[in-house]
């Protein structure tokens, strides 16, 4: 797959990163989201060292990701339970409608 070099800006610093062709928009959106998070942390915490801000952003994003994964697992479990109930209901209805049943 062809790679393209992109320039992204995080906390007023420019970085050159490789990006698969066709993924430029997604990378820029991710960089913008990260930069927003970094700037928010810098302002909210008054931290000044970029490394500290980056660690806090990484921890926050990791926590958000874990929370979303947990919520998604719960939703999948709920949907699987509903599907099972629907399957059981359909099986019961179809067995009651079979010829020869009284």
């Amino acid at each position: 797959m062809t790679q393209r070099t992109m320039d992204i800006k995080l906390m007023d610093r420019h970085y050159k990163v490789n990006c698969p062709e066709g993924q430029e928009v997604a990378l820029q959106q991710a960089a913008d989201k990260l930069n927003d998070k970094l700037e928010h942390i810098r302002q909210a915490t008054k931290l000044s060292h970029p490394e500290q801000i980056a660690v806090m952003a990484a921890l926050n994003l990791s926590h958000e990701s874990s929370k979303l994964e947990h919520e998604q697992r719960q939703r999948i479990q709920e949907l699987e339970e509903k599907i099972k109930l629907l399957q059981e209901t359909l099986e019961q209805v179809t067995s009651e409608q079979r010829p020869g049943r009284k």
Side-chain angles (χ1 to χ4, degrees), residues 13-81:
R13 296 177 74 180
H14 290 270
Y15 299 89
K16 290 201 180 294
V17 295
N18 290 328
C19 177
E21 193 173 301
Q23 295 297 312
E24 297 87 357
V25 172
L27 175 62
Q28 188 60 57
Q29 289 173 340
D32 292 343
K33 181 179 179 179
L34 177 57
N35 191 57
D36 290 345
K37 180 70 78 177
L38 293 166
E39 292 298 337
H40 174 77
I41 290 170
R42 178 166 39 186
Q43 292 173 4
T45 64
K46 305 300 182 203
L47 292 173
S48 59
H49 291 81
E51 295 82 11
Q52 291 175 322
I53 296 168
V55 167
M56 290 301 296
L59 287 170
N60 286 341
L61 291 169
S62 179
H63 177 337
E64 290 171 13
S65 176
S66 293
K67 184 179 172 185
L68 288 172
E69 287 175 9
H70 176 73
E71 290 170 358
Q72 186 178 29
R73 281 193 302 272
Q74 281 185 314
R75 184 68 179 138
I76 288 170
Q77 184 177 357
E78 291 169 5
L79 291 172
E80 287 174 342
E81 289 171 6

